[in-house]
Amino acid sequence: MNSPLVLGAVAYDPKVVTIWSGFRAWLRRHGLPLDFVLHAHYERQAEDLVRGRIDAAWHSPLAWLRTRRLARAAGVPVRPLVMRDTDRDLTSVVVVRADSPIGAVADLKDRTVAVGAVDSPQATLLPLHHLRELGLEPGVDFRVVRHDTGVGLHGDHIGGERDAARALMAGEAAAACMIDANHLLFGQEGTLPPGATRLLTRTAPFDHCVLAAGPSLGPEPGERLTALLLSMSAADLEVRHLMDLEGLTRWLPGRESGYAALTAAVDEEGFYDADGRITATGYHP
């Protein structure tokens, strides 16, 4: 290819510049010209990918779901390329204080549950879907208190999850929702003191981020990008620190099998319509 492949990424943290500048340099040295552009939020990035303004996008799971809907409505192809090894088979948890009288999910009836930002798959959409499956309707059987930090970042900014954890410890909520890894992190950093919480329930496994190709990315450059990323090794000191920053030990082929629960959650919440239009009440990225 003559012109560089253009990749989109969301600037949820300053490290994003370091990560993709480093990956760009590595890919260029391996014969794939690449540039990247930063987006303020995932909604614009999904729209730009489907419209061909960028060739590929490092997408949240919610952005990937919207991309598929926008692409289907526009009659254009999109496809997953790669994902991190740490993006597969994740779970979210609903936790209560260790001294709480709550012993079962049914005990959350008429209580308050703290969640993350409105657009967080792991701390809001998926846990609430899980509680619905267990027989409790959010907003009817229990009160939902959102913590809208970093709206538009689809939960990449974990401030909302951290605020939900703090609300639990402050007695402002009977339970809090978060991804399992952040439950561990909050314990390590002291937001949730060791032994202060216990697990009430856990979601089924789901997949997280994916590198998606848009309609402007042809088969050959897409296959080349995929092959190079799959060949990237944590044993290579040139990229090891970048992989650490991005939270992976190796890239794996992208797959679509881990998004069924999120699709159901989006439909239950009316977050996007069938054509990918934003229909969530009060969501303004």
Side-chain angles (χ1 to χ4, degrees):
M1 60 186 296
N2 296 321
S3 58
L5 183 159
V6 179
L7 180 142
V10 169
Y12 69 92
D13 187 276
K15 71 179 181 179
V16 172
V17 176
T18 301
I19 292 166
W20 286 105
S21 293
F23 285 163
R24 173 181 181 268
W26 186 89
L27 289 166
R28 283 177 169 253
R29 281 194 291 273
H30 286 77
L32 181 66
L34 179 135
D35 284 333
F36 68 91
V37 295
L38 297 180
H39 291 79
H41 56 78
Y42 279 108
E43 307 307 339
R44 175 60 60 85
Q45 180 166 284
E47 293 164 5
D48 283 355
L49 182 66
V50 171
R51 292 170 182 168
R53 294 171 179 160
I54 55 177
D55 302 310
W58 183 225
H59 262 351
S60 75
L62 190 60
W64 170 237
L65 191 155
R66 186 182 185 214
T67 292
R68 290 190 305 186
R69 295 186 179 200
L70 289 171
R72 185 172 58 245
V76 298
V78 294
R79 61 195 189 277
L81 296 179
V82 297
M83 61 203 322
R84 301 170 299 185
D85 56 342
T86 49
D87 282 314
R88 292 189 175 188
D89 300 320
L90 307 181
T91 61
S92 289
V93 295
V94 182
V95 300
V96 297
R97 294 186 300 277
D99 59 358
S100 171
I102 294 172
V105 168
D107 296 334
L108 291 176
K109 188 170 177 60
D110 298 325
R111 306 269 190 162
T112 298
V113 176
V115 300
V118 60
D119 57 337
S120 173
Q122 64 266 17
T124 303
L125 294 168
L126 285 163
L128 293 181
H129 167 69
H130 177 62
L131 291 174
R132 280 191 183 94
E133 289 188 317
L134 296 178
L136 292 181
E137 180 63 28
V140 177
D141 294 314
F142 61 90
R143 293 175 294 277
V144 178
V145 175
R146 291 202 323 251
H147 295 83
D148 284 335
T149 301
V151 172
L153 302 180
H154 291 187
D156 280 356
H157 190 300
I158 67 171
E161 281 176 76
R162 187 176 281 112
D163 288 343
R166 288 171 175 154
L168 174 66
M169 296 313 301
E172 298 166 3
C177 303
M178 61 201 73
I179 200 166
D180 188 31
N182 283 339
H183 183 223
L184 296 174
L185 171 66
F186 298 157
Q188 293 167 354
E189 70 184 18
T191 299
L192 296 174
T197 62
R198 55 182 169 83
L199 176 68
L200 183 65
T201 186
R202 181 188 300 273
T203 68
F206 58 86
D207 286 356
H208 210 260
C209 297
V210 63
L211 182 62
S216 64
L217 185 62
E220 190 281 328
E223 291 170 6
R224 179 66 175 149
L225 174 61
T226 299
L228 282 171
L229 290 175
L230 292 177
S231 75
M232 190 178 286
S233 171
D236 181 352
L237 295 181
E238 181 185 358
V239 292
R240 173 61 182 270
H241 74 289
L242 301 173
M243 297 175 77
D244 287 344
L245 284 174
E246 188 51 61
L248 74 153
T249 59
R250 63 188 177 115
W251 294 99
L252 295 175
R255 65 182 189 183
E256 297 193 69
S257 59
Y259 301 101
L262 183 58
T263 299
V266 164
D267 290 337
E268 289 165 354
E269 291 287 338
F271 202 91
Y272 302 130
D273 70 9
D275 293 334
R277 288 183 289 262
I278 299 172
T279 49
T281 301
Y283 177 46
H284 304 292

